[in-house]
Amino acid sequence: MPIPDFQSVMRPVLAAVADGAPLALSELRECIASEFQLSEEERNERLPSGKQTVINNRVGWARTYLNKAGLLSIPAKGRVQITERGREALDNGPARITVGWLKRYPEFADFHTARPADSAVPAVQVEPVEEATPDEQLADAHQALMQSLADELLAQVRAASPAFFEQLVVDLMIAMGYGGSRKEAGRATQATGDDGIDGIIKEDKLGLDVIYLQAKRWANTVHRPEIDKFIGALTRQRARKGVFITTSEFSAGAREAALGLDIKVVLIDGSELARLMVENNLGCSVKQVYEVKHLDSDYFSED
């Protein structure tokens, strides 16, 4: 069974504490995972941040929303308990409790409605995608922004000259930690007579080994013959490591050609190139930083 969205979790959370006794959050999570018959893989699936499982995040937000609506109380650290309002919701509420339904409670509506501070202009209220928790919405928005940036970067790279692209490839390798400074670590070879090699970079600051680069600013798919030529060039250089980077993509035959060799050949297509540029701040810079904080429960421990 797919992992339920956090609204689908709300009523089962109330039902799990219907007997009125406080329940540990860990037990609540187990109850919900069992209720929806989640597999071990589904129980262990994590958010993009990797810091929390998806089901625990959704149970946690369901608990928060129900608490803000007055349907649940938190009598002690890590515990939940149903309230009289919660019992009434179980008896008379809908089969699926949603954020929209919870807005009938003024305290929840106040909590859920954003109020930009010191704003003279009324904020335009945009209804969020309520199937996702706030953590998931933030992660999805970040991913969408990163994908948009990657698309813009790739378009710029494709519009650049071949010489610029060859130097960009060297700059990327240096930004990833190979060799140290640009002056000492890497260089683009001459446009002619390069024998199929577009760049050479030290693998480490001491230059104990080098990596040979091939850069193809192409719109068309790179096929196996190009990889075979690169492997031949590496062989003539007695090289052991090579990186082939393109702004397009590799065919299945090209990827197969890079496997099972004594020489290590890494293929980086346009999508991976853009991702690495974003990750290493090459051709882009940080616009704004948002800090996401959470409660430090250890601070409030009186033990």
Side-chain angles (χ1 to χ4, degrees), residues 13-191:
V13 165
L14 281 180
V17 293
D19 63 3
L23 185 67
L25 185 56
S26 59
E27 294 179 61
L28 177 62
R29 291 166 175 165
E30 180 58 33
C31 286
I32 300 303
S34 298
E35 170 75 17
F36 287 94
Q37 300 178 352
L38 299 185
S39 66
E40 195 66 24
E41 182 179 0
E42 289 166 337
R43 288 169 182 248
N44 293 325
E45 184 177 331
R46 305 188 82 80
L47 296 172
S49 66
K51 295 182 178 179
Q52 190 179 29
T53 63
V54 171
I55 187 59
N56 285 358
N57 179 261
R58 293 179 181 177
V59 170
W61 277 106
R63 180 192 68 156
T64 296
Y65 276 35
L66 292 170
N67 173 251
K68 293 297 182 180
L71 308 186
L72 282 182
S73 66
I74 302 177
K77 177 182 174 182
R79 292 188 170 272
V80 293
Q81 189 172 24
I82 198 168
T83 64
E84 285 302 316
R85 183 182 284 183
R87 293 181 189 277
E88 182 183 346
L90 275 180
D91 293 339
N92 304 312
R96 182 175 185 265
I97 295 175
T98 65
V99 171
W101 188 82
L102 289 178
K103 287 182 178 180
R104 65 185 55 229
Y105 303 111
E107 55 266 64
F108 178 80
D110 288 343
F111 156 76
H112 193 260
T113 303
R115 290 191 187 85
D118 301 323
S119 176
V121 180
V124 177
Q125 295 300 321
V126 179
E127 194 69 17
V129 182
E130 295 295 359
E131 297 301 317
T133 68
D135 285 328
E136 292 170 326
Q137 291 177 42
L138 183 60
D140 289 344
H142 180 264
Q143 186 174 12
L145 287 170
M146 291 301 98
Q147 185 59 56
S148 176
L149 173 59
D151 292 344
E152 289 183 55
L153 279 172
L154 191 54
Q156 289 289 328
V157 171
R158 285 172 174 167
S161 68
F164 179 88
F165 179 55
E166 289 179 9
Q167 189 60 61
L168 180 151
V169 166
V170 174
D171 289 344
L172 176 61
M173 297 296 291
I174 295 169
M176 293 170 63
Y178 291 93
S181 71
R182 176 172 175 171
K183 180 179 178 181
E184 297 174 349
R187 63 182 175 87
T189 62
Q190 298 298 319

Side-chain angles (χ1 to χ4, degrees), residues 228-240:
D228 288 338
K229 290 178 186 177
F230 183 49
I231 293 171
L234 293 175
T235 302
R236 288 189 292 276
Q237 295 288 340
R238 296 183 180 179
R240 296 185 301 146

Side-chain angles (χ1 to χ4, degrees), residues 184-220:
E184 297 174 349
R187 63 182 175 87
T189 62
Q190 298 298 319
T192 59
D194 61 5
D195 193 30
I197 302 297
D198 290 328
I200 302 171
I201 191 167
K202 296 177 182 178
E203 187 177 23
D204 55 80
K205 292 182 179 180
L206 296 178
L208 297 176
D209 203 353
V210 294
I211 299 172
Y212 289 81
L213 309 173
Q214 177 69 277
K216 292 294 184 185
R217 189 183 59 86
W218 281 9
N220 298 325

